[in-house]
Each structure stands twice: as C-alpha cells, then as structure tokens.
C-alpha cells in the first residue's frame, strides 16, 4: 500500500482563479524519505495541506487525486479526515508553539494521540515515556507534567516529532521543522527526525529550504517552482546534476556542492 500518492493535483485561488499548484505528482513509498524543495511561495506547504485535507477555504482543488494508504481523501467528511490524520498521515509544522496546546500538559496531549491510536489507557504513560525518550528527551516522566511554554524550541519540536510518529502513521509530512530552531540544535533535531522515520518504516515527506539537509538525508527529491514539480529523481543525482534551469538556480545557493556529509543517517542505510 502506497502511504501517499498525489497525482495531477491542481489548486487555484477562488478569488482571482490564479493557479497555485499545477499538475503535481508526488508519491511517498513506505520507509522512503522524499525531499520537497523550492523557493518561497512555490507551493510546498500547500501540497502538504492538501495531502492532509486541510486546504484553506480560500483555495480550491480543481484537478487531481490524493490517496493516503490507498484511500482517496477527496469526498471524506471532517470526521473521516480527522481519523485519517490521527492514524495514517501526520503533519509537523514549522512552529511547534502553535501546534501544541498551551493549556494542557505534554502528557495529556500524548495521551490523546495514543488513545486515538487505540493504545489501552493503562499502557499510555509508559508508551509516551518511551516515545519521548526515543527523541533524546531526558526525564520523560517529568516532561509529561510540563506545558509547552516551559520547554525550549528544540524540546517542543522533538515532542511534536514524537507525537507525529506516536500513532504509527504510514506517512509523516514535516514542513520546515528545523527552520525556526537555533542553528546549534538543528542538526540534532534533523538527525532524530530522520532516525525516527528510518526506524519506523513510515514514509517521510521532508519539506525544507535547507538543501544541505535534503541532500544528506533524502532518498528522492522533488524540486518545485511556481506550483509545478520541475525536477524529480534520486537525491544524489538531482544534487549532482540538476537538469532544469530552476533546479540549477536553486542549487546554486548551496555554499559548496561537495560539503562533507553531516552526522546523519545516510539515505538508504539501515537504521
Ligand atoms: N490561504 C491562502 N490564500 C491565498 N493564497 C495562498 C494561501 N496560502 C498560500 N497561498 C499562496 O499559494 C502560493 C504557495 O504557497 P505555499 O505556502 O505553498 O508556499 P511555500 O513553497 O510553502 O513557501 P515557503 O517556502 O515560503 O513556506 C503562494 O503564492 C501563496 O501566496
Ligand atoms: Mg511553506
């Protein structure tokens, strides 16, 4: 079963009928890490929102099909979409503060997700502790009693990654998850995200402006420009020999094309 299959997706703005996404194909296979890169405004976040059935009301899908683990999401009602998001597809946003509830403890929020995933109540605390511990968060039991504003940005983002994988989804969409973080913790959060994806076998759609990160951790890359995928292929090939002018332009922004790999799991390597 393919975790995420988007074919021929076109999205336009209702007000002026401007096309924002055109004829986009994007597939994520089990265990695969797919990078989605492109300049600001090229349509990366819209693609992720559409894939999770969360397109803003100002926009409309005018063509294409989106299937999550084989289920077409078009036509699903709000409840079915919520269930899908709890169990099969998760989205992690750039800003962890807005994604976490300010009024409920981390433990309560983890508990909700594990409940939705069908984990019996008695097993939830231990399971939540393990998931947080997997994210290198020290003293998970104490952390679960705390609230989002009591955590650092890097800790919040790691909690969100733990939550995104808690229900064993088929695919996780990570939209600029390291951008808002301090440079010193970016590599660590990225390593944990990639490690978690490799270990879980879930597919990961990794949306990023960080081309170095995309090069070092993705199996495949899609390059977007003005709502279209202008190039796609194995990451090593796209980064070594970008074929389209848009991809060449984008990759020219990489400080050096032969940088040593960061301390990240190599694409395709065993966890
Ligand atoms: N709610 C909305 N209403 C109207 N237009 C929108 C809306 N959301 C996005 N757009 C437009 O859709 C286009 C694509 O936006 P999107 O957020 O997908 O870009 P992006 O590639 O994620 O950019 P960035 O790298 O800056 O996050 C932009 O032109 C944007 O202005
Ligand atoms: Mg975006």
């Amino acid at each position: 079963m393919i975790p995420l299959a988007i074919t021929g997706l076109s999205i336009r703005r209702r007000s002026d009928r401007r096309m924002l996404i055109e004829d986009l194909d994007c597939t994520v296979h089990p265990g695969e890490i797919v990078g989605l890169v492109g300049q600001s405004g090229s349509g990366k976040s819209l693609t992720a929102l559409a894939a999770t059935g969360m397109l803003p009301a100002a926009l409309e899908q005018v063509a294409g099909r989106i299937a999550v683990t084989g289920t077409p999401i078009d036509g699903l009602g709000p409840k079915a979409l919520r269930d899908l998001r709890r169990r099969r597809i998760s989205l992690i946003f750039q800003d962890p503060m807005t994604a976490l509830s300010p009024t409920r403890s981390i433990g309560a929020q983890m508990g909700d997700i594990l409940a939705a995933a069908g984990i019996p109540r008695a097993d939830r605390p231990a399971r939540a502790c393990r998931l947080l511990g997997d994210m290198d968060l020290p003293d998970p039991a104490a952390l679960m009693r705390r609230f989002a504003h009591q955590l650092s940005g890097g800790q919040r983002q790691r909690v969100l990654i733990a939550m995104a994988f808690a229900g064993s989804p088929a695919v996780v969409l990570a939209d600029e998850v390291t951008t808002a973080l301090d440079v010193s913790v970016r590599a660590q959060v990225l390593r944990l995200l990639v490690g978690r994806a490799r270990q879980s076998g879930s597919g990961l759609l990794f949306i990023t402006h960080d081309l170095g990160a995309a090069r070092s951790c993705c199996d495949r890359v899609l390059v977007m420009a003005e709502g279209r995928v202008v190039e796609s292929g194995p990451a090593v090939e796209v980064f070594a020999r970008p074929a389209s002018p848009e991809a060449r332009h984008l990759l020219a922004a990489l400080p050096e094309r032969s940088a040593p790999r960061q301390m990240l799991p190599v694409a395709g390597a065993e966890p």
Side-chain angles (χ1 to χ4, degrees), residues 9-243:
L9 180 69
S10 295
I11 293 170
R12 74 179 176 195
R13 193 152 50 201
R14 290 182 198 272
S15 57
D16 57 3
R17 303 189 152 210
R18 195 183 135 207
M19 296 300 284
L20 300 174
I21 303 280
E22 266 188 287
D23 199 19
L24 177 134
D25 292 339
C26 170
T27 302
V28 181
H29 295 99
E32 191 183 34
I33 300 184
V34 178
L36 191 56
V37 301
Q39 302 213 316
S40 185
S42 57
K44 305 181 297 296
S45 294
L46 281 187
T47 302
L49 287 173
T52 47
M54 296 197 292
L55 213 52
L59 312 180
E60 63 180 335
Q61 180 181 336
V62 289
R65 256 177 81 92
I66 300 168
V68 175
T69 58
T71 305
I73 70 159
D74 346 29
L76 289 184
K79 182 177 178 310
L81 275 176
R82 253 196 326 272
D83 282 350
L84 195 84
R85 284 197 292 268
R86 283 189 174 140
R87 290 168 175 268
R88 297 199 232 164
I89 186 165
S90 320
L91 178 57
I92 318 173
F93 294 102
Q94 172 175 344
D95 180 4
M97 204 54 205
T98 56
L100 288 167
S101 161
T103 56
R104 306 189 66 229
S105 69
I106 299 300
Q109 295 181 64
M110 289 291 284
D112 289 347
I113 290 172
L114 293 172
I119 307 297
R121 182 182 293 274
D123 298 343
R124 288 177 210 154
R127 176 76 73 103
C129 275
R130 200 172 68 232
L131 288 164
L132 293 171
D134 284 349
M135 286 292 110
D136 283 0
L137 287 159
D139 200 353
L143 186 81
M144 290 212 290
R145 291 192 291 274
R146 296 166 78 184
F147 292 81
H149 70 271
Q150 296 172 313
L151 310 183
S152 72
Q155 286 172 329
R156 281 195 288 265
Q157 201 57 283
R158 282 183 282 161
V159 166
L160 277 184
I161 294 170
M163 287 179 173
F165 285 92
S168 308
V171 59
V172 172
L173 316 180
D175 191 355
E176 300 284 359
V177 290
T178 57
T179 312
L181 298 178
D182 196 84
V183 174
S184 61
V185 291
R186 252 183 226 175
Q188 180 201 23
V189 171
L190 195 60
R191 180 177 53 77
L192 288 165
L193 172 69
V194 170
R196 194 76 190 88
R198 295 273 181 229
Q199 184 199 0
S200 66
S202 303
L204 177 66
L205 185 68
F206 180 58
I207 299 175
T208 188
H209 279 281
D210 184 344
L211 299 172
R215 175 176 55 186
S216 60
C217 65
C218 294
D219 303 308
R220 238 166 5 98
V221 181
L222 308 181
V223 181
M224 284 190 77
E226 296 179 2
R228 290 176 172 275
V229 171
V230 291
E231 187 156 344
S232 68
V236 275
E237 283 176 25
V238 171
F239 280 99
R241 287 175 295 282

